[in-house]
């Protein structure tokens, strides 16, 4: 489990392709690895990966075919920057929101606009994720816990302060950049809960989120 508060930006220094998956080597940058051991989890651009080799400030992680298919790791190259966060401890300060490290889909930056000292980013999410994204709600973008400030269909807008931009991979974002998205886990569990008994049945048609809310008495 993670909080979406990025601890450091690392970089990929080697990529080994296997039949359908890959192993990457990561330079941890300023991330403190003194308390990291083999088998520990580290979030890489929002993807929870397990440390399989550890040497100095470098380590290896394996990336499965499923993760490659679901995330932006299909397009990585040597030198690719990655937002890093170690798995949270029970005693950790909870500064972001609950981030599982399981990417729901890949979004695309559609515009980057300077507004005062901040930067506005519009991101187009996959249509299937639109119902989970709410104005002023939480979303993880490349592992960063962020707040959506406007919604337009499956697109949403972020207003990012200079500190966040400078301390993460967001400083590299431009129109066309692909980013890993993880929606608020509460929204997913709420949808499943509202299904009730229907969650165990095979239906050819699914109720929309609005229909579920209305049927459950949340809408007049």
């Amino acid at each position: 489990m993670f909080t979406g508060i990025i601890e450091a930006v690392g970089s990929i220094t080697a990529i080994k392709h296997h039949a359908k998956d890959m192993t990457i080597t990561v330079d941890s940058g300023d991330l403190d690895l003194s308390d990291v051991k083999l088998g520990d989890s580290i979030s890489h651009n929002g993807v929870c990966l397990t440390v399989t080799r550890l040497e100095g400030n470098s380590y290896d992680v394996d990336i499965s075919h499923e993760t490659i298919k679901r995330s932006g790791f299909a397009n990585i190259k040597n030198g690719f920057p990655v937002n890093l966060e170690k798995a949270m401890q029970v005693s950790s300060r909870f500064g972001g929101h609950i981030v599982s490290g399981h990417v729901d889909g890949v979004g695309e930056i559609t515009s980057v606009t300077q507004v005062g000292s901040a930067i506005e980013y519009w991101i187009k999410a996959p249509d299937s994720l639109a119902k989970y994204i709410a104005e002023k709600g939480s979303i993880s973008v490349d592992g960063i816990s962020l707040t959506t400030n406007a919604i337009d269909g499956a697109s949403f807008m972020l207003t990012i302060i200079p500190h966040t931009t400078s301390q993460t991979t967001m400083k590299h974002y431009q129109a066309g950049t692909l980013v890993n998205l993880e929606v608020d886990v509460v929204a997913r569990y709420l949808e499943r809960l509202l299904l009730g008994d229907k969650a165990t049945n095979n239906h050819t048609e699914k109720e929309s989120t609005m229909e579920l809310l209305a049927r459950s008495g949340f809408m007049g």
Side-chain angles (χ1 to χ4, degrees):
M1 194 68 68
F2 306 92
T3 68
I5 304 301
I6 304 305
E7 297 180 79
V9 175
S11 62
I12 295 174
T13 59
I15 303 172
K16 297 177 183 178
H17 292 277
H18 309 298
K20 289 188 176 181
D21 50 20
M22 68 174 74
T23 299
I24 63 172
T25 300
V26 181
D27 183 319
S28 63
D30 293 331
L31 186 69
D32 180 12
L33 298 180
S34 61
D35 59 347
V36 174
K37 61 184 184 300
L38 295 183
D40 281 357
S41 297
I42 297 178
S43 170
H44 302 72
N45 278 5
V47 182
C48 177
L49 299 173
T50 302
V51 175
T52 59
R53 183 193 67 85
L54 184 61
E55 183 178 348
N57 67 336
S58 177
Y59 60 89
D60 287 357
V61 291
D62 295 329
I63 305 178
S64 70
H65 172 67
E66 172 69 11
T67 300
I68 295 171
K69 181 178 66 175
R70 288 263 189 172
S71 71
F73 280 123
N75 303 308
I76 62 171
K77 300 177 182 178
N78 283 339
F80 192 82
V82 284
N83 294 317
L84 302 177
E85 180 192 356
K86 292 181 288 188
M88 68 177 296
Q89 299 176 337
V90 175
S91 59
S92 300
R93 177 177 293 176
F94 207 108
H97 73 281
I98 298 174
V99 178
S100 68
H102 303 152
V103 172
D104 292 306
V106 177
E108 180 180 353
I109 306 292
T110 56
S111 71
V112 179
T113 306
Q114 189 81 41
V115 180
S117 62
I119 299 178
E120 288 185 352
Y121 299 90
W122 274 95
I123 301 177
K124 173 67 168 65
D127 289 343
S128 59
L129 298 184
K131 61 184 177 180
Y132 303 110
I133 304 172
E135 187 172 342
K136 299 301 180 181
S138 296
I139 192 166
S140 170
V141 177
D142 275 348
I144 311 166
S145 173
L146 298 169
T147 301
T148 56
N149 285 325
I151 302 291
D152 183 9
S155 295
F156 60 94
M157 187 266 284
L158 307 169
T159 303
I160 308 300
I161 61 174
H163 176 78
T164 302
T165 304
S166 65
Q167 298 300 311
T168 68
T169 58
M170 296 192 82
K171 57 179 167 286
H172 303 297
Y173 287 179
Q174 55 187 331
T177 298
L178 301 180
V179 293
N180 294 325
L181 302 177
E182 181 187 333
V183 298
D184 190 347
V185 65
V186 175
R188 282 200 168 280
Y189 279 114
L190 178 60
E191 179 188 43
R192 187 71 173 174
L193 180 63
L194 291 176
L195 281 173
D197 293 339
K198 290 187 177 182
T200 59
N201 300 326
N202 293 322
H203 289 274
T204 56
E205 295 184 8
K206 294 183 179 179
E207 286 184 283
S208 70
T209 302
M210 297 303 291
E211 290 171 336
L212 282 170
L213 289 171
R215 181 171 59 81
S216 302
F218 288 97
M219 298 177 63

